[in-house]
Amino acid sequence: MKLGRLNHVGVAVPDMQAAIAYYRDVMGATLITQPFDMPEQGVKVAFVNTPRQPGALGTDGGTQIELIEPLGETSPIAGFIAKNPAGGQHHLCYEVEDIEAAREWFTAQGKRILGPTRIGAHGTPIFFLHPKDMLGQLTEIMERSHEQH
Amino acid sequence: MKLGRLNHVGVAVPDMQAAIAYYRDVMGATLITQPFDMPEQGVKVAFVNTPRQPGALGTDGGTQIELIEPLGETSPIAGFIAKNPAGGQHHLCYEVEDIEAAREWFTAQGKRILGPTRIGAHGTPIFFLHPKDMLGQLTEIMERSHEQH
């Protein structure tokens, strides 16, 4: 397997509107997507675009910050927010060309995959890998969108 | 201020050689810089390049993973590794055009800056901001290298 693009850094936040205001007003983000609910994942999600090119304006497809807010008390990130009430870095997401090949690759490496392959926030198949097998990093693997760029 | 490029994600690791082997053999990274010591910062550093373009091979200037290993028992990341023995996501680094203007901006926003502006691992001026003021994220601000791209 070849290392793919770092699609996004997942950041868990206790309050989506406050997080959007922070990225807009403190960090100067100019393109933040409308938040949307993913009830089957138990999260509300919005993306902050960062610029791919130095000096560009954040609309050209750099690594995104994915803001994730717990949706409901049984959200899988509720525990993370309880431990990190201000929010914090939650996961790293790398792109692959073929999600099934990636699943086979990590399985063959003895890495624990967390649940079935499912559709992620970008509308393409994803899965997560156990942080204890991944240098302490909760790692998302995402089939890249062939429409995205 | 306009949001700059996400230059790198800092990942604290307990063992640099094991971390390099992980990124090369498990994640498929093809370009990892030689580790070097930054004794004044108390860390050993290496960079994993990720591809900027989908499908590219990791040599074209995407967001980097900065591997940081404690250098000595008084390293500022020794406590982080003690709490996260497998390693973990440590900080996010954004580029700016002018480090002094950025310092004034964050100071005016009431954000706590951790120490003086100093020279970072890319050889340009950097400073860190307190995670409690930055949505739980330890945030590095880095003047971008005008030679880098």
Side-chain angles (χ1 to χ4, degrees):
Chain A
M1 201 182 80
K2 293 285 184 198
L3 185 68
R5 197 171 79 92
L6 184 63
N7 182 275
H8 63 262
V9 177
V11 171
V13 302
D15 178 328
M16 179 62 77
Q17 289 307 320
I20 288 173
Y22 165 85
Y23 270 97
R24 183 189 63 217
D25 300 338
V26 177
M27 295 304 294
T30 52
L31 187 57
I32 305 176
T33 66
Q34 282 294 317
F36 59 98
D37 292 352
M38 298 190 72
E40 69 284 4
Q41 317 275 6
V43 289
K44 183 187 287 286
V45 173
F47 288 99
V48 179
N49 281 19
T50 71
R52 189 195 307 179
Q53 304 279 359
L57 285 177
T59 58
D60 66 346
T63 293
Q64 292 174 310
I65 303 295
E66 179 186 41
L67 304 175
I68 43 178
E69 182 193 70
L71 194 65
E73 288 174 13
T74 60
S75 170
I77 64 165
F80 184 95
I81 292 293
K83 277 176 68 180
N84 304 276
Q89 292 184 65
H90 182 262
H91 67 270
L92 294 176
C93 177
Y94 293 96
E95 296 178 0
V96 295
E97 292 295 314
D98 180 333
I99 198 79
E100 284 311 314
R103 209 173 160 101
E104 285 170 23
W105 167 262
F106 287 110
T107 301
Q109 304 267 331
K111 303 300 183 186
R112 282 169 285 179
I113 298 177
L114 302 169
T117 300
R118 52 198 183 275
I119 299 300
H122 288 92
T124 68
I126 64 113
F127 60 81
F128 282 88
L129 290 150
H130 198 302
K132 286 199 176 159
D133 294 346
M134 304 298 284
L135 218 67
Q137 301 153 61
L138 178 59
T139 301
E140 180 180 356
I141 301 295
M142 163 189 163
E143 190 165 288
R144 77 175 175 92
S145 168
H146 296 275
E147 297 168 11
Q148 200 175 356
H149 293 287
Chain B
M1 202 181 81
K2 294 286 185 197
L3 185 68
R5 196 170 80 92
L6 185 62
N7 183 277
H8 62 262
V9 178
V11 171
V13 302
D15 178 329
M16 179 61 77
Q17 288 308 320
I20 287 173
Y22 165 86
Y23 270 96
R24 183 188 62 216
D25 300 337
V26 177
M27 295 303 295
T30 51
L31 188 56
I32 305 176
T33 67
Q34 282 295 318
F36 58 98
D37 291 351
M38 298 189 72
E40 69 286 3
Q41 317 276 3
V43 290
K44 183 188 288 287
V45 173
F47 288 100
V48 179
N49 281 19
T50 72
R52 190 195 304 179
Q53 303 280 359
L57 285 177
T59 58
D60 66 346
T63 293
Q64 291 173 311
I65 303 295
E66 180 186 40
L67 303 175
I68 43 178
E69 183 193 68
L71 194 66
E73 289 174 13
T74 59
S75 170
I77 64 164
F80 184 94
I81 292 292
K83 279 176 66 179
N84 305 275
Q89 292 183 64
H90 183 262
H91 67 270
L92 294 176
C93 177
Y94 293 95
E95 296 178 358
V96 295
E97 292 296 313
D98 179 333
I99 198 77
E100 284 310 314
R103 209 173 160 101
E104 285 170 23
W105 168 263
F106 287 110
T107 301
Q109 304 267 331
K111 303 298 181 186
R112 281 169 286 179
I113 296 176
L114 301 169
T117 299
R118 51 199 182 275
I119 299 300
H122 287 91
T124 68
I126 62 112
F127 60 82
F128 282 88
L129 290 149
H130 199 300
K132 287 202 175 157
D133 295 347
M134 304 299 282
L135 219 68
Q137 301 153 63
L138 178 60
T139 301
E140 181 180 355
I141 300 296
M142 163 190 164
E143 189 165 287
R144 78 174 175 93
S145 167
H146 295 274
E147 297 167 13
Q148 200 176 358
H149 295 286

